[in-house]
Structures are given as structure tokens and as C-alpha cells.
Amino acid sequence: VRDWTKAWEKEGLRKGIHRGRREGMEKGIEKGIEKGRQEGLRKALARTAMRMIEKGMDLETISELTGLDIDKVRDMSQNPDRYRAETDG
């Protein structure tokens, strides 16, 4: 009976570890996908803001329309080369 109990405990532990790893990997993948989406959105907004800056739009209007902080938009207008490189365009 003791041998059976130890065997069941080992099997339960093995299954628990396996399940925990699987669930951890799934959560990690979900977080990675979400982070990728957020990064893609951030880059798209920055690209849009850069195009608006290049068209001579008012910085406060750009901030309002893109949701980007006015200080960020101002910095983008003062350092366009850096932001073009960061946004792949």
C-alpha cells in the first residue's frame, strides 16, 4: 500500500508539473501576442503622427487625434530622423 501511495504521489506530482508548465507557456504566449499588438499599434500611431507632422499639422491637433502625449509629438517634430528609424519608416 505504501508503494502504491508513493507511486500515486509521484504520478500526481509529475502531472501537476506538466500541467503547470503547459499553462505557464500558454499564458506566456498570450502575453507575448498582446505585447506585439500593443507595439504594432504604438508604431502605427507614431508613423501616422510623423506623416501629420510632415504635412505641417498643428502639434496639439496631432496629439489629440493620435492620443499621443503632446511632449512626445513635440519631440517627434524636433527629432524626425530618430522617430522614422524607430517606426520603420
Side-chain angles (χ1 to χ4, degrees), residues 11-21:
E11 181 62 17
L13 181 60
R14 188 187 66 73
K15 285 181 180 181
I17 290 170
H18 179 72
R19 181 179 177 187
R21 284 183 181 158

Side-chain angles (χ1 to χ4, degrees), residues 47-66:
R47 281 192 299 271
T48 300
M50 286 305 302
R51 287 195 295 269
M52 296 166 103
I53 289 167
E54 290 166 357
K55 297 285 185 185
M57 290 184 69
D58 176 69
L59 300 183
E60 290 186 15
T61 301
I62 295 170
S63 174
E64 182 182 331
L65 294 175
T66 62

Side-chain angles (χ1 to χ4, degrees), residues 4-55:
W4 291 345
T5 303
K6 285 182 183 181
W8 291 335
E9 286 175 352
K10 276 186 174 181
E11 181 62 17
L13 181 60
R14 188 187 66 73
K15 285 181 180 181
I17 290 170
H18 179 72
R19 181 179 177 187
R21 284 183 181 158
R22 186 181 66 239
E23 289 176 4
M25 286 175 42
E26 289 171 0
K27 286 182 182 182
I29 290 168
E30 289 172 9
K31 284 184 178 183
I33 290 169
E34 182 59 29
K35 185 176 180 181
R37 284 184 186 138
Q38 290 173 357
E39 181 66 16
L41 177 58
R42 185 193 66 74
K43 283 186 176 187
L45 287 171
R47 281 192 299 271
T48 300
M50 286 305 302
R51 287 195 295 269
M52 296 166 103
I53 289 167
E54 290 166 357
K55 297 285 185 185

Side-chain angles (χ1 to χ4, degrees), residues 60 76 85 88:
E60 290 186 15
M76 292 173 78
D88 303 324

